[in-house]
Amino acid sequence: MNLLKPLGDRVLVKVRKEEEKVGGIVLASNAKEKPTSGEVIAVGAGAVDYNGKRMPIDVKVGNVVWYDKYSGTSIKYDGDEYLVIRAGDLLAVED
Amino acid sequence: MNLLKPLGDRVLVKVRKEEEKVGGIVLASNAKEKPTSGEVIAVGAGAVDYNGKRMPIDVKVGNVVWYDKYSGTSIKYDGDEYLVIRAGDLLAVED
Amino acid sequence: MNLLKPLGDRVLVKVRKEEEKVGGIVLASNAKEKPTSGEVIAVGAGAVDYNGKRMPIDVKVGNVVWYDKYSGTSIKYDGDEYLVIRAGDLLAVED
Amino acid sequence: MNLLKPLGDRVLVKVRKEEEKVGGIVLASNAKEKPTSGEVIAVGAGAVDYNGKRMPIDVKVGNVVWYDKYSGTSIKYDGDEYLVIRAGDLLAVED
Amino acid sequence: MNLLKPLGDRVLVKVRKEEEKVGGIVLASNAKEKPTSGEVIAVGAGAVDYNGKRMPIDVKVGNVVWYDKYSGTSIKYDGDEYLVIRAGDLLAVED
Amino acid sequence: MNLLKPLGDRVLVKVRKEEEKVGGIVLASNAKEKPTSGEVIAVGAGAVDYNGKRMPIDVKVGNVVWYDKYSGTSIKYDGDEYLVIRAGDLLAVED
Amino acid sequence: MNLLKPLGDRVLVKVRKEEEKVGGIVLASNAKEKPTSGEVIAVGAGAVDYNGKRMPIDVKVGNVVWYDKYSGTSIKYDGDEYLVIRAGDLLAVED
């Protein structure tokens, strides 16, 4: 889905469908809560700081990231769920 | 509709009438919710940063952009719906 | 009405009496809602930025501007309605 | 009433007693609402910006200024009403 | 009461006991409302601005100052009432 | 209790057990309200300003400080009560 | 659990299971309240300041830190509880 390019400091994440036990990580959520991790599909150009410079984004395409379940705006595409979320709202990335 | 020029960091978007399935993208909305994408018709000069410089706007006329359904102010013109929205509130642009 | 000079980043707008169909533009309002456009009558000196410099105002006397119906403070003068509004709250200007 | 010197970016305004029709200006208020204009009696030294410099105040003693009826703190002195108000809350000055 | 030294941009004010008619000034308060003026007893070192410099405080020990009745934190000492208040919350100083 | 080192612009205060009449100071509190003063036990390294520099903290170990009763987070240790509080929330220091 | 690397100014903390009396410290909490201390497992790269520089984080892997019980987002992993929390929300570190 290279159709959508996130803007500014946002990234596009493909949400992991059902609660995948990756190395045992469960982000404080039980089965019925929305999954809160997924793979980065696209990264914006970054926000512009007070001096007009682009600020870095610390994740790249392919990273698996974790986020609070209420962040971002969700997008459905061909049956899959995606999320447009600000990089600053991402909690952690899987090493 | 080149009559209206958006001000500051705003852009003018012509809203896509009914939910157009473009490459399968449905922005987390079902039929009865307001469509949340459209084509950029005009772009402002950009906001002024703390040092008096214009800040860049990352979209241009002709781009198709996606946004949260509650952003911006809607305008009706000759039966079409337009939206005046801040560039910072745009989520993504179709590549 | 050159009696009132707006202060800082504000402008003085003479509100268009009833909903004038200018080139078909109706700012998302129906008959009973407050008209939301008008002509710029006077422009302030601009706000002062963090470095003590005046910031530019992107509209000038004579422009027709559009704004959200809840912005600014309205003033009545000789039966006409005027609005004192911050330039940053103006949405667009008619080309 | 040169007894009180306003501090920072504030100015001291002597409020016009009843609704004086000055050149027909009625600040969107009817008889029973608080009058919203008056004469500048004293001006503060100005606020200090991020670089420690005083910021300019765009009105001077003797100007007649207009403001939203809910701004500032009112002071009674010898039967007259005064208002201590931040310069940034002043809407316009009579030319 | 030189026991307490205010911190940062705060000043210590000894509150005038009952409503003293000083030159006729009554800060929009009637008998039953809290008095809102008093004498400056001590002044802090000033707040630190973004560049690490101390910002000036425009009042000094001995000045009589006026403030909104809800500002600051009150302190009782030997039967007298004092107020610890930020300099920025002071409205005016008696000349 | 040198076990806990406060972080950033915070300080660790040992709260004065019951209302000690020190030179007559009672911080606007009566017996049933929480005591609001205490001795500084440890001081953080200071917050970092916009230019990456540490900002000064105006109190040092051994000072007796006063603060609003709702500030900070309280800690119990060996029967004593301590408070972790931001230096900016301290009102005054006893000379 | 080196699987998760916190982002920006966040740190990953392994929460101390039940209320461990370490040197008598009980962070204002009784048995039934959530424990509010734990060991730092991983540290982010730091937030970016206005000039694009990374800001320092004052704790390192292995430190035992204290925090308000409502801060951060909790993560469960192999039966243990972890917390992703901003460094600025940490109150103190055990020396």
Side-chain angles (χ1 to χ4, degrees):
Chain A
M1 205 272 261
N2 60 1
L3 205 58
L4 268 190
K5 191 167 173 350
L7 282 163
D9 63 343
R10 294 178 182 85
V11 299
L12 182 67
V13 173
K14 183 175 179 185
V15 178
R16 281 200 272 212
K17 276 212 174 55
E18 43 85 14
E19 208 64 356
E20 289 164 38
K21 295 291 169 284
V22 175
I25 296 184
V26 175
L27 188 60
S29 57
N30 46 50
K32 63 179 177 14
E33 284 181 25
K34 247 183 77 178
T36 48
S37 69
E39 186 188 339
V40 175
I41 303 296
V43 175
V48 177
D49 72 15
Y50 282 110
N51 302 311
K53 275 194 318 178
R54 293 284 171 183
M55 299 176 77
I57 291 185
D58 290 348
V59 297
K60 57 185 183 326
V61 171
N63 282 161
V64 172
V65 290
W66 290 82
Y67 47 84
D68 267 307
K69 52 181 175 292
Y70 300 115
S71 320
T73 300
S74 68
I75 291 185
K76 287 205 179 49
Y77 174 67
D78 277 2
D80 285 320
E81 186 180 349
Y82 295 82
L83 191 78
V84 178
I85 180 171
R86 291 189 186 276
D89 290 341
L90 298 175
L91 298 175
V93 55
E94 289 184 11
D95 249 349
Chain B
M1 207 273 260
N2 61 359
L3 203 59
L4 268 190
K5 189 167 171 354
L7 283 163
D9 63 344
R10 295 179 182 85
V11 299
L12 183 68
V13 173
K14 183 175 180 186
V15 178
R16 280 201 272 213
K17 277 208 174 57
E18 43 84 13
E19 208 64 354
E20 290 165 37
K21 295 292 169 284
V22 175
I25 296 184
V26 176
L27 187 61
S29 57
N30 47 49
K32 62 180 177 15
E33 285 182 24
K34 246 183 74 178
T36 49
S37 69
E39 186 187 339
V40 175
I41 303 296
V43 176
V48 176
D49 72 14
Y50 284 112
N51 302 310
K53 275 193 321 181
R54 292 283 171 183
M55 299 176 77
I57 291 185
D58 290 348
V59 296
K60 56 186 183 327
V61 171
N63 282 160
V64 172
V65 289
W66 290 82
Y67 47 84
D68 266 306
K69 53 182 174 291
Y70 300 114
S71 321
T73 300
S74 69
I75 291 184
K76 286 203 179 53
Y77 175 68
D78 276 3
D80 284 320
E81 186 179 348
Y82 294 82
L83 191 77
V84 178
I85 180 171
R86 291 190 186 276
D89 290 342
L90 297 174
L91 298 175
V93 56
E94 289 183 12
D95 249 349
Chain C
M1 207 276 258
N2 61 0
L3 204 59
L4 269 191
K5 190 167 171 353
L7 283 163
D9 63 343
R10 295 178 181 87
V11 300
L12 183 67
V13 172
K14 182 175 180 186
V15 178
R16 280 200 273 213
K17 276 211 174 55
E18 44 84 14
E19 208 65 355
E20 291 163 37
K21 297 289 168 286
V22 174
I25 297 184
V26 175
L27 188 60
S29 57
N30 47 49
K32 63 181 175 14
E33 284 181 24
K34 249 182 74 176
T36 49
S37 68
E39 187 188 337
V40 175
I41 303 295
V43 175
V48 176
D49 72 14
Y50 283 113
N51 302 311
K53 274 194 320 180
R54 292 282 170 184
M55 300 175 77
I57 290 186
D58 290 348
V59 296
K60 56 185 182 330
V61 171
N63 282 160
V64 173
V65 289
W66 290 81
Y67 46 85
D68 266 305
K69 52 183 174 291
Y70 299 115
S71 322
T73 300
S74 69
I75 292 184
K76 287 203 179 50
Y77 175 69
D78 277 1
D80 285 320
E81 187 179 348
Y82 294 83
L83 191 77
V84 177
I85 181 171
R86 291 188 186 277
D89 290 341
L90 297 175
L91 298 175
V93 55
E94 287 184 13
D95 249 349
Chain D
M1 207 276 255
N2 61 0
L3 204 59
L4 269 190
K5 190 169 172 353
L7 283 163
D9 63 343
R10 295 178 180 86
V11 300
L12 183 66
V13 172
K14 183 174 179 186
V15 178
R16 279 200 271 211
K17 276 212 175 52
E18 46 84 14
E19 206 65 356
E20 291 164 35
K21 296 288 168 287
V22 174
I25 296 184
V26 174
L27 188 61
S29 56
N30 47 50
K32 62 181 176 16
E33 284 180 23
K34 246 181 76 177
T36 49
S37 68
E39 186 188 336
V40 175
I41 303 295
V43 175
V48 176
D49 72 15
Y50 284 113
N51 302 311
K53 275 194 319 180
R54 293 283 171 182
M55 300 175 76
I57 290 184
D58 290 348
V59 296
K60 56 185 182 328
V61 171
N63 282 160
V64 172
V65 290
W66 290 81
Y67 47 84
D68 266 305
K69 54 184 173 291
Y70 300 114
S71 321
T73 300
S74 68
I75 292 185
K76 286 202 178 51
Y77 173 69
D78 276 2
D80 285 319
E81 186 179 349
Y82 294 83
L83 192 77
V84 178
I85 181 171
R86 290 188 186 277
D89 290 341
L90 297 175
L91 298 175
V93 56
E94 288 184 14
D95 250 348
Chain E
M1 206 274 256
N2 62 359
L3 203 59
L4 269 191
K5 189 169 172 355
L7 284 163
D9 63 342
R10 296 179 180 86
V11 300
L12 183 66
V13 172
K14 183 175 179 186
V15 178
R16 280 199 270 210
K17 276 213 174 53
E18 45 84 14
E19 206 66 353
E20 291 164 36
K21 297 287 169 284
V22 174
I25 296 185
V26 174
L27 188 61
S29 57
N30 47 50
K32 62 180 177 13
E33 284 181 25
K34 246 182 77 177
T36 50
S37 68
E39 186 189 337
V40 176
I41 304 296
V43 175
V48 176
D49 72 14
Y50 284 114
N51 302 310
K53 275 194 322 181
R54 293 283 171 182
M55 300 176 76
I57 291 184
D58 290 349
V59 296
K60 56 185 182 329
V61 171
N63 282 160
V64 172
V65 290
W66 290 81
Y67 46 84
D68 266 305
K69 53 184 174 290
Y70 299 115
S71 321
T73 300
S74 69
I75 292 184
K76 287 203 178 49
Y77 174 69
D78 276 2
D80 285 319
E81 186 179 349
Y82 294 82
L83 192 77
V84 177
I85 180 171
R86 291 189 186 276
D89 290 341
L90 297 175
L91 299 175
V93 55
E94 288 184 13
D95 249 349
Chain F
M1 204 272 258
N2 62 0
L3 203 59
L4 269 190
K5 189 169 174 351
L7 284 162
D9 64 342
R10 295 179 181 85
V11 299
L12 183 67
V13 172
K14 183 175 179 186
V15 178
R16 280 200 270 211
K17 277 210 174 56
E18 44 85 13
E19 207 67 352
E20 291 164 34
K21 296 288 169 284
V22 173
I25 295 186
V26 175
L27 188 60
S29 57
N30 46 52
K32 64 177 176 16
E33 284 181 25
K34 248 181 74 177
T36 50
S37 68
E39 186 189 337
V40 175
I41 303 295
V43 176
V48 176
D49 73 14
Y50 283 112
N51 303 312
K53 274 193 323 179
R54 293 283 170 182
M55 299 176 76
I57 290 186
D58 290 348
V59 296
K60 56 186 182 329
V61 171
N63 282 161
V64 172
V65 290
W66 290 82
Y67 47 84
D68 265 307
K69 52 184 174 292
Y70 300 116
S71 322
T73 300
S74 70
I75 292 184
K76 287 202 178 51
Y77 174 68
D78 276 2
D80 286 320
E81 186 178 350
Y82 295 83
L83 192 77
V84 178
I85 180 171
R86 291 190 187 276
D89 290 341
L90 298 175
L91 299 176
V93 55
E94 288 183 13
D95 248 349
Chain G
M1 204 273 260
N2 61 1
L3 204 60
L4 269 190
K5 190 168 174 350
L7 284 163
D9 63 343
R10 295 178 181 85
V11 299
L12 183 66
V13 173
K14 183 175 179 185
V15 178
R16 281 200 269 211
K17 278 212 172 57
E18 43 85 12
E19 208 66 354
E20 290 164 35
K21 297 291 171 282
V22 175
I25 296 185
V26 175
L27 188 59
S29 57
N30 46 51
K32 64 178 176 18
E33 284 180 27
K34 246 181 77 178
T36 49
S37 68
E39 186 189 337
V40 175
I41 303 295
V43 176
V48 177
D49 72 15
Y50 283 111
N51 303 312
K53 275 192 321 177
R54 293 283 170 183
M55 299 176 76
I57 291 186
D58 290 348
V59 297
K60 56 185 183 326
V61 171
N63 282 160
V64 172
V65 291
W66 290 82
Y67 47 84
D68 266 307
K69 53 183 176 291
Y70 300 115
S71 322
T73 300
S74 68
I75 292 184
K76 287 204 178 48
Y77 173 68
D78 277 1
D80 285 320
E81 186 179 348
Y82 295 83
L83 191 78
V84 178
I85 181 171
R86 292 189 185 276
D89 289 343
L90 298 175
L91 298 176
V93 55
E94 288 184 13
D95 248 349

